[in-house]
Amino acid sequence: MRPAHLALAVIVAAVWGVNFTVVEIGLGHFPPLLFSALRFLVAALPAVFFVGRPKVAWKWIVAVGLVLGVAKFGLLFVGMDAGMPAGLSSLVLQIQSVFTAGIAFAVLGERPTRVRLLGMAVALAGIGVAAVDEGASGSLGAFALVIAAAACWGASNVLTRRASPPDALNFMVWVSTVPVLPLLALSLLTEGPTRDLAALRALDWQGAGTVGYVAWVTTVFGFGAWGWLLHRHPASTVAPFSLLVPVFGMTSAALFLGEPVSGLRWCAAALLVGGVALTSLAPARTVARPAARPAVRPAA
């Protein structure tokens, strides 16, 4: 990988890691579901007019939009709003690789190797340590919401693999059009129009900046650059850089939000990152589907 491409991969990981700190700041300005809806609205407009027509079937765009946009980000934002720290969220969300491997085995027949199974076990041990750390001082309910968000992310990864979009940026922009109305409807039902209108009327430069960052920098630039790298390098070369996301997430949360990082959290980080590395980088074996037996005709 060229030095410029190496730098770009690190920049994308940093952008995605710092995103959790920006989300934490944005949740001080918006209710979580409204904030998530604004994120996708701003990501989709005006980009949707410049990326061209969708290059995959609409069924995949709608499916990924609902699972990734509504379920995953809705649960993540609600969990963080309920008290899940930004740095810990960036770490715990990486368990999505375990969910991805499990769902891929069930749906795509990708049988995990022993190394991948070991990685899943190590990552789950890291989640257990993180749960103990969070349970001592935070909300296990908010922790569970982020775990559920990671499960939805894993499902969306498998759906995206089935869709096989030739253009990652085009796909992500069109996917961003799907969650806007469902998230707005959920926000009106659960957070209330009064709270939503109050947040919009009180909009200031900091609130607008958080929406701009999570929409344009994290979504449009981040996914566009990541897809560009995947088109030019093997996935096994690009994927390891995503392991830097919780490093930047925990560091930025400690620097800008003053979040403490306990010894247990560092232990959880080491187990999770190591387990995710084994799970993500170990190849999977595809289970051979048995061929259908020909029907036996009765003798005349």
Side-chain angles (χ1 to χ4, degrees):
M1 184 180 285
R2 297 177 183 177
H5 296 182
L6 180 69
L8 181 61
V10 174
I11 289 171
V12 172
V15 161
W16 285 346
V18 173
N19 177 66
F20 290 88
T21 296
V22 176
V23 169
E24 186 73 29
I25 296 171
L27 289 172
H29 295 264
F30 306 99
L33 294 177
L34 175 63
F35 187 27
S36 188
L38 292 174
R39 174 242 180 95
F40 286 107
L41 175 64
V42 175
L45 297 175
V48 74
F49 298 108
F50 298 98
V51 296
R53 297 168 62 92
K55 298 180 180 179
V56 299
W58 269 103
K59 65 178 181 179
W60 299 118
I61 293 174
V62 172
V64 174
L66 292 175
V67 176
L68 178 69
V70 179
K72 183 255 183 174
F73 281 104
L75 289 167
L76 173 64
F77 281 31
V78 171
M80 292 180 65
D81 187 63
M84 186 69 170
L88 186 59
S89 296
S90 71
L91 176 64
V92 169
L93 205 62
Q94 301 309 310
I95 198 67
Q96 57 85 17
S97 66
V98 175
F99 287 111
T100 301
I103 297 171
F105 170 66
V107 177
L108 304 180
E110 294 183 359
R111 180 182 297 170
T113 61
R114 291 182 180 179
V115 174
R116 180 169 284 191
L117 288 172
L118 175 62
M120 294 167 69
V122 172
L124 289 173
I127 287 294
V129 173
V132 170
D133 180 51
E134 182 63 12
S137 58
S139 168
L140 284 178
F143 186 92
L145 287 172
V146 177
I147 294 291
C152 293
W153 191 4
S156 72
N157 286 339
V158 175
L159 287 170
T160 301
R161 192 177 303 174
R162 290 291 299 272
S164 299
D167 185 335
L169 178 59
N170 173 282
F171 182 68
M172 194 61 207
V173 168
W174 281 104
V175 163
S176 297
T177 65
V178 175
V180 178
L181 292 179
L183 285 169
L184 283 175
L186 287 171
S187 178
L188 290 172
L189 288 173
T190 61
E191 296 163 348
T194 303
R195 187 182 175 192
D196 288 351
L197 287 174
L200 294 174
R201 287 171 180 166
L203 182 65
D204 57 14
W205 286 107
Q206 188 180 58
T210 59
V211 174
Y213 184 93
V214 299
W216 292 327
V217 181
T218 302
T219 305
V220 177
F221 166 75
F223 282 97
W226 195 255
W228 186 86
L229 288 169
L230 287 172
H231 273 296
R232 286 156 180 80
H233 302 282
S236 59
T237 301
V238 179
F241 288 93
S242 66
L243 298 176
L244 296 174
V245 171
V247 176
F248 286 110
M250 295 176 68
T251 303
S252 63
L255 289 175
F256 299 109
L257 302 177
E259 288 186 4
V261 184
S262 65
L264 273 178
R265 192 164 299 181
W266 281 120
C267 179
L271 289 171
L272 260 170
V273 171
V276 168
L278 290 172
T279 304
S280 302
L281 303 182
R285 297 191 300 267
T286 301
V287 179
R289 303 293 187 186
R293 294 182 178 179
V296 179
R297 291 186 179 183

